[in-house]
């Protein structure tokens, strides 16, 4: 059986890899042989997919920011559609990656309507949709939607999709994380050190908009706390050079690591991080965090003045429970001074830390039960 999977960006590559591993486990149990071809990245390739195009570095947030990626996205989308035309699969799985996946899904609906399409981790229309146009397109070409958030399931079900809530796959991923003591020993962190994780970028635009303000805040924190040491796990190896150059420029006591993200998270006292999937990983490991995000002023002006867009929250932990359990510093609020203040409070205020951990516990109850990836794989293989 041939399954085609389409996703993009660093988070999609991770989720795709987790799903592929589960699909292979379930296929063995069912006595089915699988061939998986995909748009994705290195993690999906390592999990056993044949990669048609590497999309882990193609992605952006915002209208203005997405312009450099329009042509690469169109090229990879056309490559995928040409493949589907020549090699019709038995099933298609779409993971997030809204723009390209709308194109792939629409193609399947028009030209290969007999091939089932599963949307796993749908775009967050339930958070920031300003019209039902894209929601209707997703519902129209999707035979089954596997939701990871309860609110996502309610939204798409209300709008006519065939929805199954499977829970959040990071529950599974966080099971094999080392203990705090093991992680700190492995990284060589002494008991008196304050380990602060910095996560400035998984998209290139974030190096421009987020890295400087996060590193300026780190510079101030370092001056206030001589025992502080910063840990920066790379999302993509291509970011090593600009990040190491910035560490030198800001004079930070910082260590860049590759392939040790779980260890850094498990060892950290707090994190200063961009908004994204990583916020949920930190929350599941009980790491207090300050979430930061900025877009270009042009994008923000368009969103506010023309599209009248507004979102309740930006980070997944807050979205799960629809309340501010982690501080979000967005756009004008994302200043080095505000980041420093929020981070110092989480480091030094015991009551604030305790409240964060209590809120994380509440959030965890809304993410489902373990075995998410295998449940999703079973749902997908039943469609065959």
């Amino acid at each position: 059986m041939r399954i085609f999977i389409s996703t993009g960006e660093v988070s999609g590559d991770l989720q795709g890899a987790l799903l592929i591993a589960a699909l292979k486990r379930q296929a063995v149990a069912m006595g089915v042989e699988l061939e998986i071809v995909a748009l994705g990245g290195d993690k999906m390739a390592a999990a056993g997919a044949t990669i048609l195009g590497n999309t882990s570095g193609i992605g952006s947030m915002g209208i203005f920011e997405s312009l450099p990626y329009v042509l690469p996205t169109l090229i990879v989308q056309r490559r995928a559609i040409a493949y589907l035309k020549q090699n019709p699969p038995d099933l298609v799985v779409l993971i997030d990656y809204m723009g390209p996946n709308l194109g792939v899904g629409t193609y399947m609906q028009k030209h290969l309507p007999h091939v089932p399409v599963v949307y796993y981790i749908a775009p967050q229309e339930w958070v920031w949709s300003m019209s039902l146009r894209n929601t209707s397109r997703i519902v129209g070409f999707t035979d089954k939607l596997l939701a990871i958030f309860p609110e996502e399931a309610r939204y798409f079900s209300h709008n006519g999709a065939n929805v199954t809530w499977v829970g959040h796959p990071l529950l599974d991923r966080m099971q094999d994380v080392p203990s705090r003591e093991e992680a700190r020993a492995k990284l060589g962190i002494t008991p008196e050190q304050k380990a602060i994780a910095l996560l400035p970028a998984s998209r290139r635009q974030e190096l421009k908009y987020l890295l400087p303000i996060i590193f300026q805040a780190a510079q101030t924190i370092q001056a206030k706390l001589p025992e502080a040491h910063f840990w920066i796990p790379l999302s993509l190896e291509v970011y090593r050079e600009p990040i190491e150059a910035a560490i030198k420029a800001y004079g930070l006591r910082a260590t860049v690591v590759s392939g040790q993200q779980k260890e850094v998270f498990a060892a950290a006292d707090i994190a200063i991080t961009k908004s994204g999937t990583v916020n949920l990983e930190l929350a599941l490991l009980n790491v207090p965090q300050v979430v930061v995000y900025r877009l270009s002023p042009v994008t923000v002006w368009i969103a506010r003045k023309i599209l009248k867009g507004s979102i309740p929250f930006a980070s997944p932990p807050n979205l799960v429970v629809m309340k501010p359990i982690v501080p979000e510093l967005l756009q004008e609020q994302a200043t080095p001074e505000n980041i420093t203040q929020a981070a110092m409070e989480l480091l030094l205020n015991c009551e604030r830390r305790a409240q964060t951990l209590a809120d994380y516990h509440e959030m965890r109850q809304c993410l489902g039960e373990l075995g998410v990836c295998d449940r999703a794989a079973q749902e997908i293989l039943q469609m065959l």
Side-chain angles (χ1 to χ4, degrees), residues 1 159 203 220 224 231 246 253 262 306 339 349 366 376:
M1 292 292 186
N159 284 289
R203 303 179 179 102
T220 305
K224 292 174 180 285
W231 293 85
R253 294 188 297 273
K262 288 182 182 179
I306 298 177
I339 296 168
N349 186 323
C366 302

Side-chain angles (χ1 to χ4, degrees), residues 2-52:
R2 182 186 296 122
I3 294 177
F4 178 79
I5 299 177
S6 174
T7 189
E9 303 197 272
V10 171
S11 60
D13 185 34
L14 169 62
Q15 304 294 9
L18 294 172
L19 179 65
I20 289 166
L23 283 168
K24 288 183 173 291
R25 284 194 300 271
Q26 294 301 320
V28 168
M30 294 170 63
V32 176
E33 189 174 337
L34 288 186
E35 177 191 356
I36 297 175
V37 179
L39 296 179
D42 294 341
K43 288 184 174 66
M44 290 171 66
T50 300
I51 302 297
L52 277 184

Side-chain angles (χ1 to χ4, degrees), residues 3-9 12-13 16 20 36-42 44-45 49-56 58 72-73 75-81 83-84 93-95 97 100-101 104:
I3 294 177
F4 178 79
I5 299 177
S6 174
T7 189
E9 303 197 272
D13 185 34
I20 289 166
I36 297 175
V37 179
L39 296 179
D42 294 341
M44 290 171 66
T50 300
I51 302 297
L52 277 184
N54 193 320
T55 57
S56 60
I58 302 177
T73 298
I75 290 170
V76 80
Q77 184 179 349
R78 286 175 181 169
R79 189 183 304 161
I81 288 172
Y83 172 83
L84 292 168
V93 179
L94 308 177
I95 302 176
Y97 203 40
N101 279 346
V104 172

